[in-house]
Amino acid sequence: MPGENIYDEVSVSACDRYRTNTYFKVLDQIISSINSRFSGAREILKDLSLLSPERLMNMKKDNKSIPEDSFHNISNWLKDINGNDLKREYIMFSHSLSDLVSGLETPLLLHKPDGPDDTYDTDSSDNTNTDDENNTGLANPETKITINTILHVLSNYNLMSAFPNLYLAYKALGTIPATSASAERTFSKVKLIKTRLRSTIDQNRLESLMLISCEKDIQINYNEVIDTFGLSSQVLKDALMFK
């Protein structure tokens, strides 16, 4: 047909050769790499969603059962966690979470006043529940519970030994960044470190300089660093280490 190539005719256009030999190959590698990296992360996030405070409180309120295959991917991700034990600890902890959180907060009034002003008229009888909730300081404890609150409960009551798998799971959940700002900040550091004058820097040194630049808030024991660096070779050991 007019305007179409014969089936065995090879395209000689430079743009077509680049698209076929370079662009499509790189695009396929990127897509396959993304799928291989993040395919398992979706399943892990499904298990981590069960650890949200809302679902944990609804477990006691609605008396629901968790799926049979829950926490399976977390146990594969974190080898120190046993999936069956985590499921059992999750159910036990959900039934006592509200009581544990209530014990952490100090009420506004520990004792009711005994004076003559301690009288209530008929109009205030309708607000009895509201007054009691204000006195206890827990008007709506479900809205106050966060992941940090759960970690605080486990550590404050020294429950790490009673719920070891649950504690590790919440620690892992608490370390997941909520945004990609830290990763984007790392990419912006590359332009400041690998400049035109440092174009020949190798990958290992670049990663080390990036780590020092991005994690500069971490406290470093300089004596330990010098000792480790000095033991890397005999020349450095003679120059840096005390004899």
Side-chain angles (χ1 to χ4, degrees), residues 225-234 236-238 240-241:
V225 173
I226 294 174
D227 294 340
T228 305
F229 182 68
L231 294 174
S232 60
S233 68
Q234 186 63 35
L236 294 174
K237 183 177 181 180
D238 296 337
L240 299 176
M241 306 296 291

Side-chain angles (χ1 to χ4, degrees), residues 119-172:
T119 57
Y120 301 93
D121 53 8
T122 57
D123 295 335
S124 63
S125 61
D126 297 335
N127 299 326
T128 303
N129 295 331
T130 304
D131 294 338
D132 292 338
E133 290 174 350
N134 293 332
N135 290 336
T136 57
L138 290 173
N140 193 2
E142 288 85 358
T143 59
K144 298 181 181 180
I145 297 177
T146 61
I147 296 175
N148 291 332
T149 305
I150 296 175
L151 287 172
H152 182 62
V153 167
L154 291 172
S155 59
N156 192 67
Y157 286 107
N158 197 17
L159 297 176
M160 289 86 74
S161 58
F163 303 97
N165 298 278
L166 189 66
Y167 180 69
L168 292 177
Y170 272 106
K171 281 185 64 177

Side-chain angles (χ1 to χ4, degrees), residues 68-80:
E68 295 181 357
D69 59 345
S70 57
F71 305 129
H72 176 71
N73 293 279
I74 292 182
S75 60
N76 293 333
W77 175 40
L78 301 174
K79 301 302 181 181
D80 295 334

Side-chain angles (χ1 to χ4, degrees), residues 80-100:
D80 295 334
I81 292 180
N82 186 289
N84 295 327
D85 293 341
L86 177 58
K87 188 186 303 184
R88 177 178 52 81
E89 294 173 8
Y90 178 85
I91 297 174
M92 293 175 57
F93 187 75
S94 64
H95 289 78
S96 57
L97 177 60
S98 58
D99 297 333
L100 293 173

